[in-house]
Amino acid sequence: PNIVMKLSRTTQEALKTALAMTIAYGVSLYMNWDRPYWAGFAVAFISLDTVGQSLNKGAMRFAGTILGAVVALTLVGLFAQQRWLFILFASLWLGLCTYMNMGSKNQYAWFVAGFVSLIIAIDGGPDPANVFSVAMLRMQQTCLGIVVYGLVSTLLWPKNSQDSLENTALELVDSQQKLLRSGLQVLRGSNDQKLLPPLHAREVAALTSLGGQLEAALVDSDQVRANRQHWQAYRSLVNRLGVTIQRCQENIEDLRSLPLERLLPGLDSFVLEMDSRFDVMTRLLKRQATEPSCRDLTLAIDETALSEVSHFQRAALLLTQRYLMEIDTISRELLDTIHNIRTFAATSDTPLSGAPRPLPFTLDSDRLVAAGKMMLTIWLAFLAPIYIGDFPGGIGFATMCGAFGMILISNQQIPVQLLIRPIAQSILFAGILYVFLMPQLSSFAGLG
């Protein structure tokens, strides 16, 4: 027992995944279910660092599997003998999934729904009855993998998401403080503008991680769940603060040549107060005893100095002043919210002041382009086996294009060439096991 308790976190997670994979295969083979590797896929893909993250991803995977199965049954039922209409509507569906995968709250569910619909429709063939059997089997095996890993991760070395959430919150406070400080220094004439892009990328990464960490912590952490309203307010405020800082920095080039000490006499006090507020936030998140305190800020423009600048620079200055005062308001609310989280203050039905109204639905041009690329990919993936004799993989090639296409198109910042080496290494490693080890196994004990 002492040796087990001293295992590193990485080793513990590896053992949990291996145990869940073995159990999932064992149950599937014992029940004589076909394709137990589908249960194994579910275990592998929802195996994450905390219980909440794993359960959330498992729920998204199962929801996506159900949606993909329904779409596959519909496509085969309507277009079983009309391949061109089938390809058309399949590509439209994959395009929609790609669009939603790049901006929806439930991104992973849309991703799974896209490639699972292709797997079921192609694997089942043109016979609707066979497609129904494949769809039920896919849902059955996916559910098995999710349930098995959920039980293993809950019972064996469980880890909740609260620590990860608080570490992400600390990272976010630090990155936004440095981003704001650097932006204000550049605004006052510093030449370190090249520091802004990496700081912004770090902030965006922390903001992206925060959403998933919070959803996971609401599942597996009683303290976070009890503070749900304050944590959700925190998430809203840091998103607003990030957007406002970015907008403020858009006018840097127009203002760098201006004498800001004269135009905004209170700018130095503003910088010191912002640093003080972020330092207090950091101490609160680290559970260090401190009381939140904010000084009232005035950032009035000197009208005499303002009359000496051009109309264009005047507009840029007024807009920057507005954003700085908005940062003052948001940071004040953010400090109070973090204090409420740490003191378990009573929740309130009063909405945040100045909270932005939800925008009406609009089509995103970048996501539309990505959806178009995905549709073209699916057409090429279907046409290649039709018109090229003895095409490797046959029509099943389209299922691979569906999965990898959505991954690459939705993450265009990842160069494709970076994937070649790890994929080649994985194929080589798995190939050695498949060729030399698997033929030697004669029982489930050996496989396990």
Side-chain angles (χ1 to χ4, degrees), residues 4-5 7-17 157:
V4 172
M5 293 305 295
L7 292 176
S8 69
R9 189 69 201 174
T10 304
T11 304
Q12 291 176 359
E13 292 302 318
L15 290 174
K16 285 163 62 175
T17 303
W157 300 305

Side-chain angles (χ1 to χ4, degrees), residues 264-276:
L264 292 172
L267 187 58
D268 289 337
S269 298
F270 179 88
V271 173
L272 292 175
E273 176 63 15
M274 287 300 108
D275 270 338
S276 174

Side-chain angles (χ1 to χ4, degrees), residues 75 85-95 117-118 378 382:
L75 290 175
L85 286 177
F86 176 85
I87 297 173
L88 172 63
F89 282 93
S91 65
L92 289 171
W93 167 247
L94 266 293
S117 62
L118 280 182
I378 292 302
F382 275 107

Side-chain angles (χ1 to χ4, degrees), residues 106-184:
N106 304 315
Q107 295 178 340
Y108 186 65
W110 285 103
F111 168 69
V112 173
F115 77 81
V116 165
S117 62
L118 280 182
I119 291 175
I120 293 174
I122 294 174
D123 210 334
D127 182 3
N130 190 43
V131 173
F132 180 80
S133 299
V134 173
M136 294 303 104
L137 180 62
R138 180 78 188 199
M139 289 190 288
Q140 181 176 277
Q141 294 283 24
T142 298
C143 183
L144 171 63
I146 292 169
V147 170
V148 168
Y149 186 79
L151 289 173
V152 170
S153 64
T154 302
L155 299 175
L156 191 63
W157 300 305
K159 178 186 176 184
N160 68 35
S161 305
Q162 182 175 353
D163 290 342
S164 298
L165 174 64
E166 293 181 354
N167 289 335
T168 302
L170 268 171
E171 168 70 14
L172 191 52
V173 167
D174 182 64
S175 61
Q176 288 190 330
Q177 179 180 14
K178 290 180 178 178
L179 182 62
L180 178 60
R181 181 192 299 154
S182 298
L184 291 174

Side-chain angles (χ1 to χ4, degrees), residues 427-442:
I427 292 174
L428 178 62
F429 178 72
I432 292 174
L433 295 179
Y434 188 78
V435 172
F436 297 104
L437 179 63
M438 293 293 287
Q440 311 303 319
L441 304 180
S442 57

